Amino acid sequence: MSNSDVTISLAQLVRDGRRYWTSADGQAHWQAERACLGPVCERLFGAHSLELGMAPRLSDMCPVRHPMCWAPTRELAESPGTLVCQPDRLPLPDGVLQLMIIHHLLEVVDDPHHVLQEAARVTADSGRLIIFGWGPLGVSGLSRVWPHRRRQLPWRGHWRTPGRLGDWLAFVDFEIERVDYCGFHLPGRAPRNAMLETLGRRHNLPLGDTFMIRARRKSQLAQVQRPKLAIGSSLGGASLGHATRISRQPERMIEGD
């Protein structure tokens, strides 16, 4: 598939996604996810953040100074702070983001492995990578048994468990700090029941429609070159050592779900 074909496909996907997220069901899920993200965002400070997704911005409560959103085309850009590109080719330097959010995108893009690799590449060592995904054990996940539903958002694509995504994160040298669940509701209802949401969140039951993975880069060892005192030199002549960060290129992840 050519780059233009990929862009056209992504643009249609984003249009479909925005229609869902402005629906009553989409708005109810968005509110639940924003409440789940809030306590994490409010503790993050830094210069830049980015959200890859199709919904309205979730992290507006975050004190990061320069938040960015994403769109595949200029026509779909909704603000001056929108990054227009393919999600697996981010025009950003390494380690520039304090907060990187992938919002329900890994389920539906053609190459989720590369999208995750790019997200990991641009996340700072001290930053956080947040992944929102649809939970296979939630009410919406169980309703995917009906084949006709899988042709529509949000039921389209490949829904993966947090454990599976944890394996993917390990390939890019990230580790899961915590998984939270939200979007609890009864069959046939939107997730607007405050009692169910409070109960599910309190016990962090894996029965919510959505899970939120909070991940960070694995601890990097540093080689420290200690100053050595040459024989016959004065104490003031010892040179200072320097620290070198050990890094390695991310491995190609194994294809497949």
Side-chain angles (χ1 to χ4, degrees), residues 218-224 244-247:
K218 293 180 179 177
S219 300
Q220 299 289 317
L221 298 176
Q223 291 180 333
V224 179
T244 302
R245 177 178 176 271
I246 299 175
S247 64

Side-chain angles (χ1 to χ4, degrees), residues 42-108:
E42 290 168 354
R43 295 194 297 268
L44 288 176
F45 296 86
H48 306 286
S49 67
L50 173 64
E51 290 188 33
L52 290 178
M54 300 169 283
R57 184 175 165 227
L58 278 169
S59 59
D60 55 335
M61 79 295 286
C62 184
V64 171
R65 296 190 299 275
H66 180 218
M68 294 178 286
C69 295
W70 165 80
T73 64
R74 292 186 183 276
E75 292 75 18
L76 291 170
E78 295 183 324
S79 69
T82 300
L83 201 64
V84 177
C85 61
Q86 294 184 17
D88 59 349
R89 298 179 185 179
L90 302 177
L92 296 172
D94 294 354
V96 72
L97 300 179
Q98 194 64 26
L99 174 64
M100 174 76 227
I101 298 175
I102 305 176
H103 184 258
H104 296 294
L105 203 61
L106 297 180
E107 296 96 330
V108 291

Side-chain angles (χ1 to χ4, degrees), residues 33-231:
E33 292 170 358
R34 186 178 182 277
C36 195
L37 178 64
V40 178
C41 266
E42 290 168 354
R43 295 194 297 268
L44 288 176
F45 296 86
H48 306 286
S49 67
L50 173 64
E51 290 188 33
L52 290 178
M54 300 169 283
R57 184 175 165 227
L58 278 169
S59 59
D60 55 335
M61 79 295 286
C62 184
V64 171
R65 296 190 299 275
H66 180 218
M68 294 178 286
C69 295
W70 165 80
T73 64
R74 292 186 183 276
E75 292 75 18
L76 291 170
E78 295 183 324
S79 69
T82 300
L83 201 64
V84 177
C85 61
Q86 294 184 17
D88 59 349
R89 298 179 185 179
L90 302 177
L92 296 172
D94 294 354
V96 72
L97 300 179
Q98 194 64 26
L99 174 64
M100 174 76 227
I101 298 175
I102 305 176
H103 184 258
H104 296 294
L105 203 61
L106 297 180
E107 296 96 330
V108 291
V109 292
D110 290 334
D111 199 343
H113 300 111
H114 279 164
V115 172
L116 184 60
Q117 283 181 317
E118 271 293 272
R121 179 185 68 80
V122 299
T123 302
D125 288 351
S126 60
R128 292 297 182 271
L129 172 56
I130 306 292
I131 300 173
F132 282 94
W134 296 112
L137 297 181
V139 172
S140 293
L142 297 177
S143 69
R144 294 179 79 232
V145 297
W146 306 108
H148 70 278
R149 281 208 159 186
R150 299 193 180 200
R151 296 191 291 268
Q152 305 170 10
L153 288 175
W155 301 279
R156 275 169 55 183
H158 299 279
W159 290 20
R160 302 172 179 92
T161 64
R164 179 69 183 203
L165 292 178
D167 293 338
W168 289 17
L169 285 164
F171 275 99
V172 292
D173 290 329
F174 271 68
E175 59 187 354
I176 293 178
E177 282 186 309
R178 180 178 171 86
V179 179
D180 288 293
Y181 297 89
C182 60
F184 298 90
H185 63 101
L186 298 174
R189 304 287 183 89
R192 296 184 185 276
N193 188 312
M195 185 179 68
L196 280 179
E197 192 71 17
T198 300
L199 183 64
R201 290 280 305 280
R202 178 181 299 160
H203 298 285
N204 207 25
L205 301 173
L207 302 175
D209 274 356
T210 298
F211 60 80
M212 184 187 77
I213 293 175
R214 185 173 73 207
R216 67 178 180 184
R217 195 177 301 278
K218 293 180 179 177
S219 300
Q220 299 289 317
L221 298 176
Q223 291 180 333
V224 179
Q225 184 178 353
R226 297 181 180 277
K228 294 182 180 180
L229 186 65
I231 297 177

